[in-house]
Amino acid sequence: MKTPLPDYLAHVIDACDTDNRGNLADYIPELANANPNRLALALSTVDGEIYSVGDDEIEFTIQSMSKPFTYAYVLQQLGIDAVLEKVGVEPSGEAFNEISLGKDRRPKNPMINSGAITTHSLIPPKEDVSGAEILRQFMSELAGRELQFDDAVYESEVKTAYRNLSIGYMLRTVGILESNPVDIVNGYIRQCAILVTVKDLVRMGSVFANGGVDPKTGKRLLNRAVVRQVLSVMMSCGMYDAAGDWLTTVGIPAKSGVAGGILGVLPGQVSIAAFSPRLDEHGNSVRGIDIMERLSRDMGLHLMEGTPSAQTIVQSHYRTGKDASLSVYVLRGVLKFTEAEMLLRTLQCEPDDNSSIVIDLSQISLIHDVGKRMFLEGIDRLIDDGHSLLLVDPEQRLDNARTHKDRVLHVYQNLEDLIEKHKEL
Ligand code: GLU
C-alpha cells in the first residue's frame, strides 16, 4: 500500500493550475523576472514526514515569511517582554509596507514591515557577523540544510527600497531604532533574500508545529512560549490587511511573502507551504490562497474547528487480584486538561476501601504539563484516602512519580508483571 497523500496533494495543485489571476510583485525589479507559472506544495507532519508536489525543488526568496523566524529568534534571545517594549502585537489591518505606528509609537506588529525592521534591529550583535547572516544560520538550522542568499534579488530591492527606508527613518525618529536606519533596512532586505523551497519552509514550520522541537533531530530549538507567541501573531497579523478573511476561511496561522510563498502552521498537526508567484492586491499568492483554502476545508484544519477530546482517556477499568483488591485503570491518548478532568471524575468514584489502585500510563501518547499536575494531585488525594497507588510508567514521564507531597510511588515497567507480582495481595 502506498499512502494516498501525495496523490491528494497533486490533485490539489492540478485543480488550481489554470488560475492565472494576479500579478508578479514588480516593485522589486528582480521579482518581476520570475516564472509566473511555478506551482509547488509541501506538507510536513508534526513528526517530520515531508510530502511535496510540483516545483518543489525550485528556490525562491523567503521575503516576508522570514518575519516570523526573525521574531522567534529575537524572542528566544531577549525574552518576550523585552521585545514587546519595541513591537506590539495588534493586527494593523494595513498594507504590509504601511508607513505607520501604533498610538504608543511602537510598530503595531512584527509581521508588517515597520515591525519586522524593528525586530531585525533587535538581533543581539555578534562580532563580525551581520544580523542577516545570524538569521541565515538560524533558518538553516531549522531547515536542516545550508540556505543561501539570492544576491541579485537583494541588490535589486536595495536599489529601490525608498519605502522601507522611509519606514526606517520614521522608526529612528521616534527612537524605536537606535542605530543607523540604512544599515538596519539593508539587513532586513537581506534577510528577505534568503532562498528556500517549499520543502525547506515546511521543515522550518514543523519546528513551530512541534512546539519548538525539531521533529527530525529531537533537539529543542525554541521555547514553547516563544512558539505560542509567534503563532498567535501569525494568526492575527500574518496575512496583512486580509487577516480577517484568512482567519475565517482558512483558519491556520500563516505568513505570506511577495515572491509568492505562503507558510501555514497548525500547532500540533502540520505545516504547509505553497508557492505560486502571482499575487493579489494584498500581496498574497492567488493560487497559494486557493491551495490553503482547499487543504483547510478538505482536511478539517481550521483552528476554530478545534479537536474534540477523544473522551476515551480511560480505555478500560477492571478489578483483579485476590478478592479483586486491585482496581486497574488502563489509560490511552493525550493527557491534557479535558482528559485529566475526566480521569479525576472517574477516580472520584473509587470506594474508600483502602484498595490498591493501578494506573497504566504506557499507552498515553502525550502528557501535557497541566495533565501531569492534575494527575499527581489526584494521586495525592487517593493516597490521603488510604489507597496504595501503583503506576505503570515505562518511560518515566511522571519523573519517577514524585507527587507534590513528595511521595515516591511504585512504578512498574509493564502491567502484566505488576499484576503477576500482586496476585496474592
Ligand atoms: N522584502 C519585501 C519588502 O519589504 C517583503 C514584503 C513581503 O514579502 O510581503 O517589501
Side-chain angles (χ1 to χ4, degrees), residues 27-28 62-65 67 96-97 113 157 164 188-189 192 240 255-259 283:
Y27 76 99
I28 301 174
I62 190 167
Q63 297 298 339
S64 276
M65 292 177 293
K67 293 171 181 171
F96 68 97
N97 56 4
N113 287 11
E157 185 170 354
N164 280 332
Y188 157 75
I189 291 173
C192 291
Y240 306 130
K255 187 73 210 79
S256 64
V258 287

Side-chain angles (χ1 to χ4, degrees), residues 344-360:
L344 294 179
R345 208 172 342 134
T346 310
L347 291 170
Q348 190 168 257
C349 302
E350 273 293 322
D352 286 344
D353 59 359
N354 293 352
S355 60
S356 299
I357 299 178
V358 177
I359 304 184
D360 180 358

